Amino acid sequence: MHWNKILSLLLSYVEGKIMVRYLLKFSYIGTQYRGLQKQISDSFIRDTDSIQGALETALLTVFPKSLIRPVLTLSSRTDAGVHALGNTAHVELENKSNTIYNSIIVKKFVNRYFSKCGHTIRLLDCTPVTNDFHSRYSCKSRTYLYRFMVPKIPEEQRISLPEAIHTYHLRSYNFDIDRARRGTQLFMGTKDFTTFSARAVTDRKIQYVRALQAFTLEEAQPLMPFDPLSKNFTYWHFTCKAKSFLYNQVRRMVGALITLGLGGITEKDITVMLQVPSHYNWNPRITPVPPNGLHLLNVEYDPDELRRCTILEQQEEKPQSEEQMRELQLEEQKQELQSSLKSCKTVITDPLGNKYEVEYGQVKKLEKSLPFVVDERPDLHIASIIPGLYLSSQDPVVCNDILKKFEIRHILSIGVNISEKYDDVQYHTCDLLDLPESNILPSIKKCIDIIHANLKENILIHCNAGVSRSPSIVIAYLMIAMKLSYDEAYNTVKRARSCIRPNDGFVKQLRSIENTTFVYEL
């Protein structure tokens, strides 16, 4: 056994736990994802719209459960719509049994989750490695393939559906394959690819010099040869290999070569872009090819280094006990039963008003909504609570006739901005979200001052719907000013405005005023 392996395992035993690094190999069809890298930094949100987020969520289903949250370190990043036949990442996992996860079991749990949730991702391999192996920095090369098809007859638009996902449809049949193939040699060797990289928004200094190890153009076969539509095209693969690539480099190089094959530019144009590297030197006649034809074929490592860093089966922990095997079987049965249940969606809202839909353990962010009840029906009713104190929704606030009828001189808006104001009315505001997590006590203190100072001139309290926030403020005022219990104050307001329904968090805080000493002098 290599000394690095021995030291790594010994340190884990001394600390009473085993946190093991695993090299994951996985493939995916990138059509439905925003890209490989996770887009949401909040650990509470499982970003299953990215491949990384979906993989991390799938690893949460592995049994025994990891004591630390899985966070992938990616070897290669692909854009939205790009596919991969063999991408890699590493992750650290640790479990209460102090055992190293079995590769077959990990793949079983993860791929079951992907299949159940409709993800086009598959975990191909899970290899325990020592901590000196890094999925990104240990990589020796990456190989990309770009697939496109050329029609045999002019204006042929009918394509096989699988090709639409994986193949760029070149609409012109007059394409010079030999010229594009010769053009690949212009990129070979060590060159500055600034012109062929998209400008990234980052403070990190980027090294634009790269060395291509291979760049070829070869004829390929249709994905569905038995589909009659496949016979109307010829199929081609650009294959490009290097230790690393810049952002959008492959798609821009292929775009330049396709434009060359179509006669839109010359070899000299490509040479100038390479010899004068600049983001401003990109030839506007070239369009980067779309992402659907791009596939990450493989991430290559030094076989000797990988073999040295792999924790072999005979070096893993002792076999699982009968109790652990029973727990594993129960967990598998539980997940099988869960997969047979009907899907159930839950919508949650955070304190900032962001909404998330939860299904099968996946959290998907919905379009941002307002953090209060939106009531589009007109509600012009003004309720008289006590002399001088009125309660309503926001609708009467913009109706001058109603305000004059009740001789309203002051309006207190709870969490709502009024679009139309009148000269003979004084306006007051208090910010408050209609969420159980919102602290209503500071708002109560502020509003009581406003209400008590203007009660003799008739003050109207309102929020959006007049259901939760403004009734809660009025109830609090009655409890403090009139020494009523919560139930007495609630019933008083309820009789005047039957639709009130303070949220559970407000009710709990209002009852705390009743049960504790709320120091406030009017």
Side-chain angles (χ1 to χ4, degrees), residues 329-346:
Q329 291 172 356
L330 288 173
E331 181 66 21
E332 290 180 353
Q333 292 174 4
K334 174 184 172 183
Q335 292 199 15
E336 288 175 358
L337 288 173
Q338 286 178 340
S339 64
S340 65
L341 296 176
K342 185 178 179 181
S343 170
C344 178
K345 293 182 180 180
T346 303

Side-chain angles (χ1 to χ4, degrees), residues 91-299:
V91 63
E92 279 84 23
L93 301 175
E94 169 191 336
N95 60 65
K96 64 179 181 180
S97 303
N98 276 349
T99 56
I100 296 178
Y101 286 101
N102 181 278
S103 176
I104 297 175
I105 293 176
V106 173
K107 288 187 289 185
K108 183 176 182 180
F109 278 105
V110 169
N111 289 327
R112 176 191 292 160
Y113 169 84
F114 288 149
S115 178
K116 179 181 70 173
C117 297
H119 283 292
T120 53
I121 310 171
R122 290 297 178 267
L123 180 61
L124 306 177
D125 204 2
C126 175
T127 306
V129 294
T130 53
N131 287 340
D132 57 341
F133 187 88
H134 196 284
S135 63
R136 181 181 176 189
Y137 300 130
S138 299
C139 173
K140 297 302 179 184
S141 63
R142 297 164 175 85
T143 303
Y144 281 92
L145 177 148
Y146 194 88
R147 178 179 173 85
F148 69 102
M149 56 186 180
V150 180
K152 294 180 179 178
I153 57 177
E155 303 300 327
E156 178 58 64
Q157 304 295 326
R158 299 169 301 163
I159 63 175
S160 179
L161 287 179
E163 301 288 357
I165 299 174
H166 294 279
T167 311
Y168 171 44
H169 177 201
L170 192 62
R171 305 198 178 262
S172 174
Y173 74 99
N174 188 20
F175 182 74
D176 191 339
I177 289 291
D178 291 332
R179 189 178 188 186
R181 182 181 287 119
R182 291 192 301 270
T184 60
Q185 298 305 307
L186 298 173
F187 295 95
M188 292 303 296
T190 302
K191 299 183 183 298
D192 189 325
F193 286 95
T194 303
T195 311
F196 289 88
S197 67
R199 190 177 305 175
V201 181
T202 178
D203 295 331
R204 180 174 57 89
K205 186 176 180 180
I206 300 175
Q207 175 59 258
Y208 290 100
V209 176
R210 295 288 191 274
L212 298 190
Q213 300 173 13
F215 198 8
T216 60
L217 174 57
E218 303 293 339
E219 188 170 4
Q221 299 300 317
L223 297 177
M224 289 284 186
F226 44 82
D227 188 337
L229 296 177
S230 297
K231 299 177 182 179
N232 298 330
F233 298 86
T234 57
Y235 301 88
W236 304 89
H237 288 167
F238 280 105
T239 305
C240 190
K241 182 177 181 180
K243 182 175 182 180
S244 60
F245 293 92
L246 296 165
Y247 179 47
N248 276 355
Q249 180 184 345
V250 176
R251 289 170 55 193
R252 285 177 168 244
M253 290 192 305
V254 171
L257 291 173
I258 285 182
T259 307
L260 176 67
L262 292 172
I265 61 173
T266 65
E267 289 81 357
K268 183 178 179 180
D269 293 320
I270 295 178
T271 302
V272 168
M273 287 190 289
L274 289 169
Q275 292 180 348
V276 187
S278 170
H279 291 299
Y280 301 100
N281 198 29
W282 176 253
N283 194 313
R285 287 174 291 177
I286 304 172
T287 301
V289 289
N292 65 303
L294 186 59
H295 302 71
L296 175 58
L297 285 187
N298 196 22
V299 178

Side-chain angles (χ1 to χ4, degrees), residues 210-486:
R210 295 288 191 274
L212 298 190
Q213 300 173 13
F215 198 8
T216 60
L217 174 57
E218 303 293 339
E219 188 170 4
Q221 299 300 317
L223 297 177
M224 289 284 186
F226 44 82
D227 188 337
L229 296 177
S230 297
K231 299 177 182 179
N232 298 330
F233 298 86
T234 57
Y235 301 88
W236 304 89
H237 288 167
F238 280 105
T239 305
C240 190
K241 182 177 181 180
K243 182 175 182 180
S244 60
F245 293 92
L246 296 165
Y247 179 47
N248 276 355
Q249 180 184 345
V250 176
R251 289 170 55 193
R252 285 177 168 244
M253 290 192 305
V254 171
L257 291 173
I258 285 182
T259 307
L260 176 67
L262 292 172
I265 61 173
T266 65
E267 289 81 357
K268 183 178 179 180
D269 293 320
I270 295 178
T271 302
V272 168
M273 287 190 289
L274 289 169
Q275 292 180 348
V276 187
S278 170
H279 291 299
Y280 301 100
N281 198 29
W282 176 253
N283 194 313
R285 287 174 291 177
I286 304 172
T287 301
V289 289
N292 65 303
L294 186 59
H295 302 71
L296 175 58
L297 285 187
N298 196 22
V299 178
E300 296 89 10
Y301 298 97
D302 183 340
D304 293 332
E305 181 185 8
L306 183 57
R307 191 180 306 110
R308 173 181 61 81
C309 295
T310 299
I311 302 176
L312 302 177
E313 290 185 7
Q314 60 265 30
Q315 297 166 351
E316 295 182 9
E317 292 304 293
K318 60 183 179 180
Q320 294 178 327
S321 65
E322 291 184 6
E323 181 181 356
Q324 292 170 346
M325 291 299 296
R326 282 196 301 270
E327 288 181 353
L328 180 60
Q329 291 172 356
L330 288 173
E331 181 66 21
E332 290 180 353
Q333 292 174 4
K334 174 184 172 183
Q335 292 199 15
E336 288 175 358
L337 288 173
Q338 286 178 340
S339 64
S340 65
L341 296 176
K342 185 178 179 181
S343 170
C344 178
K345 293 182 180 180
T346 303
V347 177
I348 60 174
T349 306
D350 69 10
L352 297 178
N354 299 308
K355 282 195 172 184
Y356 303 91
E357 181 183 85
V358 184
E359 182 180 17
Y360 282 132
Q362 300 183 81
V363 182
K364 182 175 292 186
K365 188 174 183 180
L366 303 177
E367 289 187 8
K368 189 167 183 179
S369 59
L370 297 173
F372 47 76
V373 176
V374 177
D375 189 354
E376 297 180 349
R377 298 170 299 175
D379 177 10
L380 299 176
H381 173 65
I382 289 184
S384 176
I385 309 300
I386 60 173
L389 180 58
Y390 297 87
L391 175 65
S392 76
S393 70
Q394 66 178 354
D395 296 329
V397 175
V398 293
C399 183
N400 199 25
D401 291 339
I402 296 177
L403 297 179
K404 288 181 178 180
K405 177 182 177 181
F406 288 89
E407 298 181 348
I408 302 297
R409 294 292 177 265
H410 297 269
I411 292 177
L412 174 55
S413 303
I414 311 297
V416 179
N417 293 322
I418 302 174
S419 59
E420 187 174 352
K421 297 183 179 181
Y422 304 104
D423 294 337
D424 55 348
V425 177
Q426 293 187 27
Y427 294 89
H428 313 269
T429 60
C430 180
D431 293 330
L432 180 63
L433 298 179
D434 187 14
L435 297 170
E437 298 83 2
S438 298
N439 184 3
I440 195 176
L441 299 182
S443 298
I444 289 174
K445 293 180 180 181
K446 177 181 179 179
C447 293
I448 285 178
D449 281 337
I450 297 172
I451 295 172
H452 192 68
N454 302 290
L455 193 62
K456 294 180 181 180
E457 295 183 350
N458 292 355
I459 183 168
L460 173 62
I461 318 299
H462 79 95
C463 53
N464 180 63
V467 172
S468 178
R469 288 173 292 178
S470 54
S472 297
I473 294 297
V474 173
I475 289 171
Y477 179 80
L478 297 181
M479 292 175 66
I480 295 168
M482 303 179 66
K483 308 299 182 184
L484 299 182
S485 67
Y486 170 79

